[in-house]
Amino acid sequence: MLYRILPFFFFAFLFNFGCQGKEDVKTITVAHGLDVNHSVHQALIFLGRELERESGGKFKVKIFPNQQLGTERECLELLQIGSIGITKVSTAILENFAPKFKVFSLPYIFNDRGHQFRVLDGPIGHELLSEAEKFQLKGLCFYDAGARSFYTKSTGILGPDNLRGLKIRTQESTTAISMMQFLGSSATPISWGELYTALQQGIVDGAENNLPSYFLSRHFEVCPHYSFNEHAMVPDMLLISLRVWESLNTQEQQWLKEAANASVAFQRKTWAKNEQVALTGLRTAGVSFYYPDKDLFFQKVAPIWKENLDEDLNLLVKKINDLREVPIANYD
């Protein structure tokens, strides 16, 4: 792939991937690492159609899925220098660039999907969309990424004790790595595109992710045990290069923001459908499902809520906790 052949700065110099103009038509390059059947890709297609419709064909996007332009971290680096225009990343990866986003990786920080949407759609979410600007990244919107649970090769996870000694693939997130340490397993960050082979070869004993990703990646072929412990609800985020954003005029910025906002509702509906499709497909494939007591996991990982959290993160945690229908008692 091109990004492995050319250094980033040379790549940026030769190819103005971020934002191209031709005959009064502006095109922004969008890169992500997911399958074309994933709800994120479908939402980006929807965004592109909305953008083209609103602009009368003057503003378009060109989408590169399946890590064609790099991993999520690499796409963020290309975004910072304006070599690509827009990317989708998990906020777990973004925390390596903008530390406040580690709040979304805290285990069981969200009570349920409704609680998460109240946070993302309200003042907290709006504040965090601008948080990455000091790192040359600007948030456009949040996408639903469901709940993350464990899946393994040889045994179902019914409680934290079943994780002890296992090598579990995690995202490149200090919070996720810390969580696995509290659960007694060995966290092994591996690129999403390399995970299937790593599972096959026994480099890791399992992983953790949401149902659609588990299904579309076909990880169930090597890890047929899926446990609904739902330890994290880490949202995805659509980001634009701040350099590219500032190169747009006011009207173009408005078109893009409106198209991104419209894509959120579409993505959430598509995500919900994809979860059901995944569940049906996995049952047909013979996957074994387990429904452990989530409180067993929460008791093990709850100390992370206070471990190494600075004043800003503690304030965010309290605000998020206050939006629960039943706040966790005695957080203070």
Side-chain angles (χ1 to χ4, degrees), residues 15 36 69 80 90 102 123 129 143 154 233 246 258 280-281 287 297 325 329:
F15 297 92
V36 295
L69 299 185
Q80 287 179 309
S90 168
K102 70 171 58 176
L129 284 176
Y143 282 160
S154 60
M233 297 179 68
E246 291 176 345
E258 289 176 354
T280 300
V287 169
F297 295 89
E325 291 184 357

Side-chain angles (χ1 to χ4, degrees), residues 3-187:
Y3 74 95
R4 289 177 177 171
I5 299 172
L6 298 175
F8 285 157
F9 72 92
F10 191 46
F11 178 61
F13 178 76
L14 290 178
F15 297 92
N16 182 20
F17 262 140
C19 191
Q20 302 171 359
K22 183 179 180 181
E23 298 178 355
D24 297 325
V25 176
K26 188 162 288 186
T27 302
I28 289 186
T29 296
V30 182
H32 69 85
L34 297 171
D35 185 271
V36 295
N37 294 311
H38 197 282
S39 64
V40 165
H41 185 77
Q42 298 302 314
L44 291 172
I45 292 175
F46 178 89
L47 182 153
R49 290 172 181 162
E50 285 292 296
L51 187 60
E52 194 169 349
R53 180 185 62 80
E54 291 175 8
S55 67
K58 296 179 181 179
F59 203 176
K60 300 180 180 181
V61 298
K62 186 173 183 179
I63 306 171
F64 293 82
N66 290 316
Q67 292 191 0
Q68 290 181 51
L69 299 185
T71 64
E72 289 200 341
R73 187 183 183 101
E74 289 166 341
C75 282
L76 278 176
E77 292 168 349
L78 290 173
L79 212 67
Q80 287 179 309
I81 60 176
S83 291
I84 60 175
I86 295 173
T87 194
K88 186 289 302 178
V89 298
S90 168
T91 56
I93 304 299
L94 189 58
E95 75 178 52
N96 297 297
F97 294 74
K100 273 191 180 181
F101 284 96
K102 70 171 58 176
V103 73
F104 290 145
S105 295
L106 293 173
Y108 300 104
I109 187 68
F110 297 118
N111 190 52
D112 51 31
R113 198 72 58 86
H115 177 214
Q116 184 189 48
F117 290 166
R118 287 194 297 276
V119 171
L120 298 181
D121 297 342
I124 298 173
H126 293 156
E127 173 190 337
L128 287 173
L129 284 176
S130 301
E131 177 62 24
E133 290 188 18
K134 64 189 76 171
F135 306 98
Q136 295 299 309
L137 306 166
K138 179 177 177 60
L140 291 172
C141 62
F142 292 102
Y143 282 160
D144 189 4
R148 302 178 73 89
S149 293
F150 293 111
Y151 53 92
T152 47
K153 296 180 68 173
S154 60
T155 184
I157 304 300
L158 295 174
D161 289 344
N162 297 128
L163 287 163
R164 190 168 300 280
L166 296 184
K167 293 174 292 183
I168 302 295
R169 181 267 179 180
T170 64
Q171 294 175 289
E172 193 176 342
S173 155
T174 56
T175 311
I177 292 170
S178 178
M179 177 190 69
M180 297 312 304
Q181 292 171 343
F182 273 92
L183 292 172
S185 64
S186 176

